[in-house]
Each structure stands twice: as C-alpha cells, then as structure tokens.
Amino acid sequence: MLELSGINAFYGQSHVLHDISLRLADGAGVAVVGLNGMGKSTLLKSIMGAGPTVRGPVRLDGQDLDRLAPHRRARLGLALVPEDRRIYPHLTVAENLALAGHAGTAARPPYTVEEVLAFFPLLRRLAGRKGFQLSGGEQQLAAVARAVLARPRFLLLDEPTEGLAPLIVDAMGTEIRALRARDGMGLLLAEQNVEFARACTEHVLVLNVGSIAFSGSWAAFDADPAIRDRHLSL
Amino acid sequence: MLSEVLPTALNGLVWAMSVFLVASGLTLIFGILHILNFSHGGFVMIGAYLAFTVTNRVPGTASVAAFLGIAVACAVAVGAMGLVVDRVVFRRLKGVDDSYSLVATYALLLLCEGAVKSGWGGNFLSMSPPEGLGGALFVGDLFVPSYALFVIAAGVAVYLALDLWLHRTASGRILKSVALDPWMASLLGINVTAIFTVAVVAGFALAGLAGGLLAPNQSLSPALGGTYIIQAFGVIIVGGIGNVRGAFLAAVLLGLVDAFGTVYVPEFPGIFFFVAVAVIILFRPQGLLSGIR
Ligand SMILES: Nc1ncnc2c1ncn2[C@@H]1O[C@H](COP(=O)(O)OP(=O)(O)OP(=O)(O)O)[C@@H](O)[C@H]1O
Ligand SMILES: [Mg+2]
C-alpha cells in the first residue's frame, strides 16, 4: 500500500501541490489527469523524493519514506519513468535496461534484460543501439522497459504516450496491462490521453492547480461530463 | 638537426607524462562531480613528502619494487584523505555556486601547505630515484636517464588503466552514467553519493600516486603544490575538462610543443605551453574532446 496523507510540495517559494491524499493499494491502477502545469509530474516526483520539497507523509506499507533518498525508495519497489525519459545516450538499450538492476533486491530480484525484451518485442531489434541513436518514441519505450526491469511494486509513469504513434500507444497499453496482470504491479499513471489512461487503470484523479478536483472510478468520472469539460482539453 | 629531435621529443614526453599523472585525478573529479579541486597539487605534494619520509626512514627501500610499493602506499594514504575531504568538504559543495568550490578547495590547498610546513619544515628536501632507475640507458645511440623512461611508462600505464576502467568495466559505466545524469541514476537505484565518493577517492589516490612516482629529482618544498598545477590545468582545459583521454592527448601535444619550441626558440623558454593553450582554446573552447571519456 502506497499512501499519501495530505502532502504539500514546493519548488523553492512556490507552493505547487496542496494537501494531496491518495491511497494506492497493491496492484491497483490510478490515473492522474489534468491540464499542463497542474502538478502531475510534481506528484510523481514527490513520491520518489526526487526534486520538489515535500511536507507531509508518503508511506509505503506504513513506513514513512520522508528521509529516504530516491535510490532507497527505488530499492523498496518504486520506479518512476520521468516525462523527459532520460535514456543514457552513451549506453546501448540493453545497458540502459541493465542499469535499473541496481533497484533490485534479494527479496524482489530484477528481471533479466532478456525477460524485459520479451515483454517489449518492439525493443528487441534495438537492444544493441546506443541511446543517442533512438527516436523519441523508441526512447519512451526503452524508458518504460527500464523501469519494469526492477520488477517494481508501484510503477509511476509520467505521460508515457506523449509523441507516440497510435499503433505504439496501443502496444504500450497492452504491455502495461499484461505486466499488471502478471506481477500485480501497482500503477500511478500521469496522462493527458484519457482513452489510454482509462484502458490502463481503474481509478482516476483529476488535478487542478495542485489540488484534487475529482477522485473516483472511471464510471463516476464518465457520469459527470462537467469534470471532463472543465479539467481536460480535448 | 635530427640529432636534436629525439632527445627533445623525449623531454617533451617526460614533461607530458609528469603533468598527466598530476592532471588525471583533477580531471576525473571534475568529470564526475563538476568540482574544480584547486587543492589537487597540494595532495600531490603530500604524496611526494610521504614517499620521501618512508624512503629515508625505512631501511631496504632502495629497490625499484620498494619504490613502486611506496608510491602505491602514498596513493592509499592520500586516497584515505580524499574520503575525509569528500565527507567534510565536497558533499557540502553540491548545488551551491562554483565560487564556493573555488574558495573551499583553495583553503584546502593552504591547509596542505601548512601541514607540510609544520610536518617537514620549509627547507628544500630531495630524494634520488631508486637504484635501478638511477642510471641511464642507450636508446639507439641516445643516452637516456632510466628514470625518464620510467616516468613515461608510468604515465602511459596510468592512462591505460583509467581508460580501461571507465570504458570497459561495469563500474566505469556506472561512474559515467552518474556523471551524465545523477538524478536519473538515483531513480534507477544507484547510490549516487557513494559513486561520488568513489570518484573522489580515486582522484585523490591518483594525486598520491603522482606524488610518490614524481618525488625523485624534485626539490620538495611547500611550494611544490603549485609546481605542476598550472600545467595540469592547461592540460585538462585543452583536453576537454573532465575527459581523461583528452587530458592524455593534450599532455602529449603540449609537452611536445613546449619542448620543441624551447629548443628552436630558446629566447622564450616555457612560453610555448601558454601560447599553445591559448591558441587551442581560441579555436576549440570546449577542448579537444568533451564530456567524460
Ligand atoms: N523545477 C521547477 N521549479 C519551479 N517550478 C516548477 C518546476 N517544475 C515545475 N514547476 C511548476 O510547478 C507546476 C506544476 O508543474 P508540473 O510539471 O508538475 O505540471 P504537469 O501537470 O506535469 O504539467 P505537464 O502536463 O505540462 O507535464 C507548474 O506551475 C510548473 O511551472
Ligand atoms: Mg508533467
């Protein structure tokens, strides 16, 4: 169980997230939607302790993560794919994937590079390519695969479909659903693509200027078209 | 004319490898932490003084093997100082303005000089090369001091070892990844602080090694910390700061330019180093190679 109880996040003086509470049960899938600049990325980074200053508890199975550096959180089973991907240009795809093995532990051994390439067939022929030789879409795929290698308990994905061709978006959705089914992996997905988000998660949380404007099931979200009209541009 | 070429080239290479030995640790630390360590020469000097003391105090240390052993011991000792400096100083320099690093590492240099003055006094001291390296060899019909050949070999060996480490080993790959993007590395479960410590200890150990290897034929004085450091800075800037391979190439290039310049235009000894640095920086401000390599 990943639990945020009224957290606030800041970049220097600017107060970006306001009293965010969120519970993500093991294996659950929650989408975080909202317009540009509403705080989706800040929320994911706050959970990793990787950037914003955070006040208020972030707990994993009741353990307060407050004082833990990002690499310690990664080793507890959290994995963030940042919106800018950050594939290492000097390493091959396979080497990029292998780096994530550092987040593995004896209790939760990482997948091998081979296993991950089997999950993402589109990546297989790129395994030997250097990061700088990949297209933007290929980098996105590699970034998601790299996070998966650590066999995370909770995967935090920041707009993984941005800039992907529709066919690749579908393939990625299929992979993510398959991984969740196989591992019982929890998913927190920041997205502007509502259809993709709906296909990958059960719950949805709408952020508006750093506050929660809606939280509930997709059915409840659909039942109130005003939410969609107000908080999402289509 | 030709009879001058070979000895001049050898002089240039001895200079190049001496400076590279000093520059390697400097550029390694910059490449990974982005801290320009002005105290680096001070720690080279401490390595040299340690080598001097051990060689003179411990009997039976006149052999080449003992000389190498002592240099390695100096590397270990100065590397351990690096561990302390990392904890006490470098960790506090993350995320603050570069001017703080300048002041902090300059203060460390003064500390090194003070430590040497109080430990060894301000007089000039000197030590000779070990017995096996005290003589000279004929290379063709050229008479070359064996210690000069040794310094060249040591510089090349240190370069090859560093290059192999950074490019061909898993730990080198991690080091490079942390240098490029520490934030992402931490998200992947890598303990970035520990990797920074490894880099600092390695850089300081290289300073200690350089001190131990270069101590012979040197006048040891508390000013030694500044002796090679200007040249080392020139070499790492021309090489592409943070780039070990670049520093090696730059050392060879600048060593040869300076040696030949001094032979053919003896009116301006030593000026060619500075001229070459200025000209190269004018045309390639990022240095010959860039990024950590
Ligand atoms: N490093 C930073 N320093 C200062 N302010 C920041 C920083 N990063 C983001 N912000 C601000 O915080 C707010 C939330 O940004 P955030 O990146 O979380 O939005 P987002 O919902 O992910 O937007 P997008 O859909 O464009 O990715 C914005 O107002 C942004 O300008
Ligand atoms: Mg964002």
Side-chain angles (χ1 to χ4, degrees), chain A residues 11 14 16 34-43 83 159 192:
Chain A
Y11 288 111
S14 89
V16 176
L35 297 174
N36 292 116
M38 292 305 172
K40 303 182 294 295
S41 301
T42 305
L43 176 60
E83 55 193 329
E159 303 202 37
Q192 304 214 41

Side-chain angles (χ1 to χ4, degrees), chain B residues 87-289:
Chain B
R87 280 284 154 86
V88 178
V89 183
F90 286 5
R91 278 191 198 177
R92 293 167 212 267
L93 295 177
K94 273 200 211 93
V96 302
D97 195 81
D98 283 346
S99 53
Y100 289 91
S101 318
L102 195 152
V103 172
T105 61
Y106 188 67
L108 271 174
L109 175 62
L110 298 181
L111 205 66
C112 290
E113 289 180 4
V116 164
K117 267 184 206 150
S118 60
W120 285 276
N123 294 332
F124 285 94
L125 305 171
S126 68
M127 66 181 268
S128 26
E131 274 157 16
L133 297 175
L137 294 173
F138 278 100
V139 177
D141 52 2
L142 191 68
F143 194 63
V144 189
S146 10
Y147 179 66
L149 293 178
F150 170 79
V151 168
I152 295 175
V156 172
V158 165
Y159 165 65
L160 290 177
L162 271 176
D163 204 70
L164 271 177
W165 181 37
L166 291 174
H167 295 282
R168 300 265 180 270
T169 69
S171 64
R173 263 203 291 281
I174 294 170
L175 220 63
K176 245 168 93 175
S177 306
V178 168
L180 276 175
D181 189 348
W183 186 78
M184 190 65 227
S186 72
L187 292 187
L188 295 174
I190 294 170
N191 184 348
V192 169
T193 310
I195 300 296
F196 284 149
T197 303
V198 168
V200 173
V201 170
F204 274 66
L206 285 167
L209 185 72
L213 293 175
L214 299 176
N217 292 354
Q218 195 85 245
S219 13
L220 303 186
S221 81
L224 184 61
T227 303
Y228 283 111
I229 209 70
I230 302 278
Q231 285 89 339
F233 272 109
V235 156
I236 73 171
I237 291 168
V238 165
I241 189 156
N243 189 313
V244 172
R245 201 174 276 179
F248 184 79
L249 292 177
V252 172
L253 184 69
L254 293 173
L256 293 177
V257 166
D258 196 59
F260 281 98
T262 302
V263 164
Y264 293 116
V265 192
E267 297 83 0
F268 303 105
I271 201 170
F272 292 91
F273 165 76
F274 295 101
V275 171
V277 169
V279 168
I280 294 169
I281 292 310
L282 207 58
F283 290 100
R284 265 191 88 79
Q286 76 278 33
L288 299 176
L289 305 176

